Amino acid sequence: NGTGEYGDVIAWVMNRKKVDFKEAVTELALKAGLPEPQWSRADQAVRLAARVRADALTIAARVFAGWFWGSPAAQEYAQKRGWTLARESDEGIDRDGGIANRAMLGFSGRGTDQERIEMRDALISGGVDINSPVAVSVLGFKGNVSSWAAGHGLTDLNEDWILNGYIPGMVGRERLVYPHLESGRVVYLSARSIVDKFHYNLPEVLAGKRQVYFNHEYAPGEQQVVVVEGQADALSLAQWDIPAVALAGVKLD
């Protein structure tokens, strides 16, 4: 919205009334005249885990978006793709009207210590455990990877991570970051280098399976939608007000 907040109606209630996910859904169901949800421990655990992951990725996406506006190189790359950074009107320059801002385009930065501190502090301020798998997928990790993984019940990790004592994160390497949004929440992050054709996806073991990319013109119930391969193509179609979904490496079923 106009104050830079993102999320769905459930997040709105949680933020305003300071309640957890279950309480927010229950309140909204009652307001809508629906039966009160019957929560099982398993269902609640899965839903809460998904919500925690989405909250962490949303915070990271906001930081990456700020870095985009601080990087002339990232902005130049976007303009070369034909994407508008801002919209001109009688009142002047409207950044909110540009494709880059509406898509929440981000920049991964160059990997400086200052950038990592900024991202870490933002996650901590948002209540995210910076040692959680989703936070590590963004920040990276140095240390005893085997011990860290065991503490989070993770298996089948990349052998190089264990041998080198290092898990690479998303911060750094000068990439354009695409937030994958669903119902206003960031459910995944992907990236593409602005200096070569290298594409990057968050490790599945840390952040879950890859997700398709809906451009910001898409909404549930669309009568027509263009299916493309990459996020950049979907974003270019948004420039012409055309709903599109990029498979982004996900198999179409």
Side-chain angles (χ1 to χ4, degrees):
N1 60 24
T3 59
E5 295 176 291
Y6 297 89
D8 54 22
V9 65
I10 299 172
W12 178 270
V13 173
M14 290 173 64
N15 291 335
R16 292 304 179 282
K17 298 203 170 184
K18 308 299 182 186
V19 297
D20 64 15
F21 176 75
K22 177 181 175 182
E23 292 176 1
V25 172
T26 299
E27 178 176 334
L28 288 167
L30 295 176
K31 282 182 175 290
L34 298 172
E36 183 172 342
Q38 298 300 309
W39 302 93
S40 71
R41 291 185 178 180
D43 288 341
Q44 185 177 2
V46 170
R47 291 178 183 274
L48 287 175
R51 176 67 58 170
V52 167
R53 185 167 60 249
D55 288 346
L57 294 178
T58 297
I59 292 169
R62 291 174 184 166
V63 175
F64 286 139
W67 293 352
F68 174 85
W69 293 109
S71 170
Q75 294 174 48
E76 181 182 2
Y77 175 87
Q79 288 178 310
K80 286 182 177 179
R81 299 291 313 222
W83 303 332
T84 54
L85 299 185
R87 179 176 58 190
E88 293 187 28
S89 64
D90 294 338
E91 289 75 26
I93 300 297
D94 174 20
R95 179 184 288 180
D96 291 341
I99 291 296
N101 199 65
R102 294 177 64 195
M104 284 181 67
L105 274 182
F107 180 61
S108 66
R110 293 177 172 80
T112 65
D113 290 340
Q114 182 178 355
E115 289 170 341
R116 296 184 189 281
I117 291 172
E118 181 181 350
M119 179 64 76
R120 184 197 65 192
D121 290 349
L123 290 169
I124 292 174
S125 296
V128 176
D129 177 5
I130 59 172
N131 285 315
S132 65
V134 66
V136 168
S137 74
V138 175
L139 281 171
F141 178 86
K142 288 184 179 181
N144 189 325
V145 174
S146 295
S147 177
W148 171 84
H152 291 276
L154 299 178
T155 57
D156 298 326
L157 264 66
N158 186 308
E159 291 185 2
D160 288 339
W161 295 354
I162 298 174
L163 291 174
N164 298 326
Y166 174 69
I167 300 175
M170 201 169 206
V171 174
R173 302 194 180 183
E174 300 184 74
R175 299 164 176 156
L176 198 68
V177 178
Y178 297 96
H180 296 227
L181 288 101
E182 187 175 294
S183 301
R185 293 180 289 116
V186 179
V187 296
Y188 194 71
L189 296 172
S190 59
R192 184 196 189 280
S193 173
I194 65 172
V195 295
D196 53 39
K197 292 187 177 181
F198 181 79
H199 294 264
Y200 181 79
N201 292 280
L202 294 175
E204 181 176 328
V205 68
L206 303 179
K209 293 184 178 296
R210 293 187 186 185
Q211 301 291 322
V212 297
Y213 176 83
F214 294 100
N215 70 9
H216 53 271
E217 291 296 331
Y218 174 85
E222 292 285 356
Q223 295 301 305
Q224 293 182 326
V225 59
V226 179
V227 180
V228 295
E229 179 184 2
Q231 300 90 318
D233 292 333
L235 203 53
S236 293
L237 286 164
Q239 185 86 31
W240 302 311
D241 303 324
I242 298 174
V245 54
L247 298 182
V250 177
K251 291 184 178 180
L252 185 64
D253 58 18

